[in-house]
Structures are given as C-alpha cells and as structure tokens.
C-alpha cells in the first residue's frame, strides 16, 4: 500500500543518515586509515578480573580511555549508591548489573535525542549486505522478560514475519536471524568458557574482525528511555562482553551524543580522537566519557588564549580527573575536575589511565573559606613555591572578595613584606586573613587504586591496591621524581604521603 511504501522510504532515509553518521564517526575516531595493530589492541570486550570481582581487565594498551571511566562510574555506584555491599560479597551477576548501570550513567550524560546502541550483525547478514537496520532493537530489549527460555526466544524470533521485520526499520533495527544467531553464538561462548575454550574462540573471532569487516557489520538500535537501554544490555550482555564490546560502547557514546555535537565541542578535528600510531584516546575523548562533553581541555570553563576561546570543564563532575602531566606543566586541571561530587578520580600518566577512589566522603565535602583562600593563592603562585610577588596581592584579595582598596592593599603589603623582598608568603597571608583555619578534609584517610592491565599489578593479578594517606602539616611539597603516584596525588593534595599495603606503590602505567 501507499502507506507501507511511505514508511519504507522513510526508514531507508533514516538508515542512510545513520550510515553517514557511522562513516563520520569512523573518520573522527581513526582518521583516514586504521592501523591493524591499533585496532587489534582495541578489540576487547568488558570482562572482570578473577581476583577482584568488580575490577575490569584491560588486555592491551589503548582502550583505557573507555575502560577507566566505566570502571570509575562502576565504583561510584558501588561506593555511593549501593549501601550494604562490599567488594568481597559481589557475585558475577551483581557485577554485570553494576557495569550496565555505569554505562547507562555515561550515556545519560551524552544523550542528545535518542539512545543509539551500536552492535554487530551476524556474519551471514554482513555477507548479504544488509544495512544498519539488522541488529538488536528496542523491541528486543523487552524480549527476555516476555519469552522464557533460550529455545523459545530463538523460535519466536525466527518466526517473525518478514514484513514485520522490515517495518521495524532503524528504530527497531533487529532482524530475527541476527538475534537468533547472536543468542546461539553467546550460548556457545558461555559453554566454551566452562570447558576452557573461550580464549581460542575469541582469538578466532578477533582474527576475522579486521577494521573493514567490523565497520561493515555495525548496526544501530534506537531507544527512547534509559530504562530501555538497561533492559537491552541485560538481555544482550554479549554486546558488551564479546570481543569488540569496548569499541561498540565507544561508537554508542558518540552516536548517542551526535557527530555534530561532538564536532562543535572538539573544535580541532585535524587529529583523530584515537592516536593513529599509539592507539591512546585524546583528552576530548576522556572528557566525553567522564562528563558527556568532548571538550579538549581540563581547566574550568573557557580560557582566552590569543583571542581563541578554549573550552574546558563547565561544572563539577560526578567523577574527578587528576594527571601527572600537570606536575610536568603540560596542563592545568581545574577545580571542577579536582573536586568531583564523589571521591573517585581517573588518574592520567604519560601513557595510561587508572582510577583512584575512597570510602571517605569528606574528601569531596565543600571547601571551607580558608581552603578556598589557599586554592586561590596557589592560582597566582604559578611555580608552586608558596609565595607570590607582592604586586599580585590586590588580585588575590579581589579574587577572594576581600577588601581590595589601594590604600588598604598598600598597608597589607608593607605588613606582609616588612623587608621589602617583593614576595608574600602563603603562611603569612593565611595567618593574617584566616587565623582560625579549619579543614574539611581529614588528616588521615584510606585510598584505593585500580589499574586494569595485569602486567602492571603484582603477580599479574588485577586487584585494588589499598593505602593509608596522611596530610602533613608543612606547606613545603616534597617532590619525588621516582614516585609518579605520589607526584600525581600531590596535584590534588600537595602535602600528602601514602603508605601502601605490602609497601608496594601501585603503577600508573
């Protein structure tokens, strides 16, 4: 009928638009070409450590810019939103649920109009040349609740009339054959895991999935509500666990955000979001995963540099970010990232991302006036030497909304710099303006650290490393170039010392 023909034409137009967006995402992520070695390192699913039930394992270098933020959100949910649970009593099913919830929280920050879930069609559909509409759908998300038993599910899907499959279009995006095939493949993999055959099965699958076949098999499901997304992943967990689960989530995040929205935030698109040689993700990609905005910088708000408006973080984030690169003066991490809503931080080194977290809620409590003063003072102390040039005193007082009339400033300058050395010490400033200093952060607290690469853990076992932190009284920062972990922590807590369990400092790399 005419109505059916119109629907078919509309669906085809939607499909062409989605195919165009997927091509744009490929270009945005990888550039004009993809190195097979880099793609291979990114080709992994989400799987948990055998030695730490809630810790994700990263098999190779590269995908930490996806895995570490997902791990951070998982820990945030576990620590802050799931009271009564400890790391020791987590079951595999509970960890899968935490993973799905973490992914949903990331997607909620990125949503522009609809949730657009990217998955892979079965091989035979790819060979047949079907478009992006041949993959798991919104209607499929509810099927695990409606049909009991794998056999009944496969039978029901295979008997969907062909005209109904067509009418599902891009919104539904799942043909019966693909769903049945994916389900059978997943069951086969689970049985293989029980017999020790999973590694071989995954190796074989990864060999077949080169960059071209991966992109040929991409398909999209569009969902309206986040509850539908959670149901979808609960019923199709293999989309996350199979050999390209990390990449599929990354494409889902970008497609849900919208290519145009990403481009408007990235600003500079001359370089791909994934480094063509080394395979690491850009800062814009890290920021997108953590905040839902693909801005390229980590300072607060915008900064005007030579007339250019350079975009940073615009509000307090759920998850924080600190980096060793700040100590090396390659960047400046702003207050919003250093002081997140939850005591969970992604930590950056020159080559890798890890996660720092704590049960101590007071680490993210509001700053006291004296702590605000210290932070503002240090913004003008660009060398980290605990003093400022005396001409900057008026700027500091203005930034703190204190009295800054010229006559008063001159009087204070003479009092704080009686020998006319041209500098004002932090301690003298604090004693004058904030004599009854109070701290919101405790003097001692526990920290835990996650590194998803087995080789970076003791005995190649991915586990959380625990340490006991102490805030020293001195304002003199003790720099130790041979301890990158401490150096990175001091960008957030300048006077911190940490005694790690087993006297082994965790690796940032």
């Amino acid at each position: 009928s005419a109505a059916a023909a119109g629907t078919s034409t509309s669906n085809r137009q939607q499909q062409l638009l989605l195919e165009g967006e997927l091509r744009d995402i490929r270009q945005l992520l990888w550039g004009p070409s993809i190195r097979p070695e880099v793609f291979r390192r990114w080709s992994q699913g989400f799987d948990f450590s055998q030695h730490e039930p809630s810790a994700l394992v990263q098999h190779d270098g590269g995908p930490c810019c996806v895995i570490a933020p997902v791990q951070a959100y998982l820990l945030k949910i576990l620590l802050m939103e799931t009271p009564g649970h400890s790391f020791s009593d987590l079951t595999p099913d509970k960890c899968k649920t935490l993973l799905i919830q973490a992914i949903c929280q990331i997607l909620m920050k990125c949503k522009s109009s609809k949730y657009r879930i990217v998955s892979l069609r079965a091989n035979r559909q790819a060979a047949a040349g079907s478009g992006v509409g041949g993959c798991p759908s919104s209607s499929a998300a509810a099927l695990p609740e409606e049909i009991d038993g794998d056999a009944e599910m496969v039978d029901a899907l295979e008997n969907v009339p062909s005209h109904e499959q067509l009418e599902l279009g891009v919104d539904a995006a799942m043909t019966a054959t693909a769903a049945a095939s994916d389900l059978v493949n997943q069951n086969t993999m689970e049985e293989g895991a029980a017999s020790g055959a999973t590694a071989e099965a995954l190796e074989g699958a990864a060999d077949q999935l080169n960059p071209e076949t991966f992109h040929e098999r991409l398909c999209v499901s569009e969902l309206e509500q986040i509850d539908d997304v959670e149901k979808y992943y609960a019923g199709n967990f293999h989309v996350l666990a199979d050999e390209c689960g990390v990449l599929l989530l990354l494409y889902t995040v970008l497609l849900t955000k919208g290519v145009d929205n990403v481009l408007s935030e990235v600003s500079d698109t001359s370089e791909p979001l994934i480094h063509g040689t080394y395979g690491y993700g850009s800062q814009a990609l890290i920021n997108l995963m953590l905040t839902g905005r693909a801005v390229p910088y980590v300072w607060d708000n915008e900064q005007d540099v030579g007339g250019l408006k350079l975009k940073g973080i615009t509000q307090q984030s759920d998850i924080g970010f600190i980096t060793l690169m700040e100590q090396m003066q390659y960047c400046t991490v702003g207050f919003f990232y250093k002081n997140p809503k939850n005591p969970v931080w992604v930590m950056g080194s020159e080559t890798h991302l890890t996660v720092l977290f704590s049960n101590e809620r007071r680490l993210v409590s509001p700053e006291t006036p004296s702590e605000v003063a210290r932070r503002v003072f240090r913004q003008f102390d660009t060398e980290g030497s605990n003093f400022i040039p005396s001409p900057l005193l008026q700027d500091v007082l203005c930034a703190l909304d204190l009295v800054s009339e010229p006559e008063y400033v001159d009087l204070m300058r003479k009092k704080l710099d009686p020998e006319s050395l041209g500098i004002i010490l932090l301690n003298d400033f604090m004693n004058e303006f904030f004599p009854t200093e109070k701290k919101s952060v405790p003097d001692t607290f526990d920290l835990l650290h996650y590194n998803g690469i087995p080789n970076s853990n003791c005995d190649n076992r991915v586990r959380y490393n625990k340490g006991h932190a102490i805030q020293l009284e001195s304002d003199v920062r003790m720099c130790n170039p041979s301890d990158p972990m401490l150096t990175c922590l001091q960008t957030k807590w300048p006077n911190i010392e940490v005694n790690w369990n087993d006297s082994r400092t965790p690796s940032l790399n």
Side-chain angles (χ1 to χ4, degrees):
S1 67
T7 301
S8 178
T9 301
S10 175
N11 286 342
R12 178 57 182 162
Q13 290 173 342
Q14 282 185 295
Q15 180 172 312
L16 290 173
L17 286 173
L18 278 175
E19 288 174 348
E21 280 201 78
L22 286 172
R23 284 193 297 270
D24 291 342
I25 287 175
R26 173 175 176 164
Q27 176 70 24
L28 183 64
L29 276 177
W30 307 98
S33 61
I34 306 175
R35 290 188 63 187
E37 170 61 19
V38 171
F39 185 82
R40 181 196 63 78
R41 287 193 272 121
W42 271 83
S43 297
Q44 75 157 84
F46 289 97
D47 66 304
F48 291 99
S49 170
Q50 297 179 356
H51 312 286
E52 191 76 66
S54 60
L56 295 168
V57 176
Q58 181 178 334
H59 300 161
D60 219 327
C64 58
C65 70
V66 174
I67 294 174
V70 171
Q71 179 71 59
Y73 272 94
L74 187 155
L75 288 166
K76 170 232 175 189
I77 295 168
L78 182 59
L79 293 172
M80 302 300 144
E81 300 172 19
T82 315
H85 280 281
S86 65
F87 296 124
S88 59
D89 66 3
L90 292 172
T91 64
D93 285 343
K94 177 60 180 177
C95 291
K96 288 181 180 179
T97 299
L98 289 170
L99 175 61
I100 293 170
Q101 290 174 341
I103 287 170
C104 286
Q105 290 198 6
I106 291 172
L107 291 176
M108 281 192 290
K109 293 182 178 297
C110 299
K111 183 186 178 185
S112 56
S113 59
K114 295 181 179 180
Y115 297 102
R116 304 162 98 182
I117 313 302
V118 182
S119 58
L120 292 177
R121 291 190 306 272
N123 272 322
R124 55 187 174 184
Q125 281 189 299
S130 62
V132 293
C135 68
S137 68
S138 56
S139 61
L143 281 174
E145 295 179 1
E146 296 168 3
I147 302 173
D148 294 327
D150 292 348
E152 292 180 33
M153 183 176 179
V154 172
D155 181 65
L157 288 168
E158 287 181 336
N159 286 287
V160 174
S162 59
H163 70 277
E164 291 185 19
Q165 296 174 19
L166 179 63
E167 290 175 359
L168 290 176
V170 178
D171 280 353
M174 179 182 205
T175 63
T177 311
S181 176
D182 286 346
L183 183 57
V184 171
N185 288 343
Q186 173 66 6
N187 289 342
T188 302
M189 286 182 63
E190 290 173 352
E191 292 168 5
S195 61
T198 303
E200 293 180 8
L202 286 174
E203 270 188 353
D207 290 341
Q208 296 170 8
L209 275 176
N210 57 50
E212 296 307 317
T213 57
F214 171 80
H215 287 94
E216 288 170 3
R217 290 175 56 188
L218 290 181
C219 54
V220 181
S221 307
E222 291 192 344
L223 304 172
E224 296 285 348
Q225 304 297 328
I226 196 62
D227 290 345
D228 296 330
V229 177
E230 190 167 346
K231 289 178 183 178
Y232 171 87
Y233 279 128
N236 300 276
F237 189 76
H238 61 280
V239 173
L240 299 172
D242 284 356
E243 71 273 11
C244 286
V246 171
L247 273 176
L248 292 175
L249 176 61
L250 178 56
Y251 278 65
T252 295
V253 167
L254 290 167
L255 201 58
T256 296
K257 175 76 175 179
V259 176
D260 290 342
N261 293 327
V262 174
L263 290 173
S264 69
E265 293 172 353
V266 169
S267 300
D268 180 15
T269 58
S270 61
E271 295 293 332
L273 296 180
I274 295 176
H275 194 281
T277 302
Y278 302 108
Y280 56 76
S282 68
Q283 187 63 53
L285 203 53
I286 298 168
N287 290 345
L288 176 62
M289 294 295 299
L290 289 176
T291 70
R293 298 183 70 245
V295 294
Y297 300 101
V298 293
W299 51 53
D300 292 341
N301 302 310
E302 290 184 347
Q303 289 199 16
D304 190 320
V305 179
L308 295 175
K309 296 289 187 181
L310 304 182
K311 299 175 183 177
I313 308 303
T314 58
Q315 60 185 354
Q316 190 180 29
S317 175
D318 282 334
I319 304 296
F321 180 80
I322 56 176
T323 175
L324 188 62
M325 309 305 286
E326 182 174 27
Q327 176 64 28
M328 299 176 181
Q329 299 187 346
Y330 285 109
C331 67
T332 300
V333 181
F335 174 81
F336 291 142
Y337 251 163
K338 284 187 178 176
N339 299 273
K341 296 176 183 177
N342 303 279
V344 184
W345 294 263
V346 169
M347 302 182 74
S349 71
E350 308 97 313
T351 61
H352 189 41
L353 296 176
T354 58
V355 180
L356 180 79
F357 59 102
S358 176
N359 282 304
E360 179 54 78
R361 284 291 309 184
R362 288 181 293 170
L363 294 180
V364 291
S365 58
E367 289 181 299
T368 63
S370 62
E371 288 171 336
V372 172
R374 283 179 176 273
R375 172 171 57 81
V376 170
F377 189 98
R378 288 193 169 105
Q379 290 174 355
F380 292 88
D381 174 20
T382 55
E383 300 297 325
S385 50
N386 290 312
F387 64 81
I388 59 170
S390 56
L392 294 180
L393 177 60
Q394 186 172 20
D395 295 332
V396 174
L397 294 176
C398 283
L400 291 170
D401 290 328
L402 298 175
V403 176
S404 57
E405 298 298 326
E407 297 81 2
Y408 177 76
V409 173
D410 287 339
L411 181 65
M412 286 295 101
R413 190 180 288 122
K414 291 176 183 178
K415 182 176 182 180
L416 297 174
D417 183 19
E419 299 180 11
S420 300
L421 298 176
I423 62 172
I424 294 174
L425 299 176
L426 172 61
N427 280 345
D428 292 341
F429 178 86
M430 295 301 298
N431 289 335
E432 176 65 31
F433 294 100
F434 298 90
T436 56
E437 183 175 3
K438 295 181 180 180
K439 294 182 179 179
S440 62
V441 177
D443 291 330
T444 63
F445 50 91
D446 288 336
L447 291 172
L448 291 100
H449 181 258
Y450 154 87
N451 188 328
I453 296 181
N455 289 344
S456 299
N457 288 264
C458 183
D459 300 325
N460 294 328
R461 296 178 176 183
V462 176
R463 288 181 293 198
Y464 303 135
N465 289 284
K466 188 174 183 179
H468 185 67
I470 303 171
Q471 291 263 58
L472 303 178
E473 290 295 329
S474 171
D475 281 311
V476 179
R477 182 183 302 184
M478 303 300 292
C479 293
N480 184 356
S482 64
D483 190 345
M485 169 63 77
L486 182 62
T487 301
C488 187
L489 291 175
Q490 286 176 339
T491 65
K492 162 64 179 167
W493 299 285
N495 309 315
I496 195 172
E497 289 285 346
V498 185
N499 296 315
W500 295 97
N501 287 6
D502 303 323
S503 300
R504 182 181 184 273
T505 302
S507 172
L508 291 179
N509 297 313

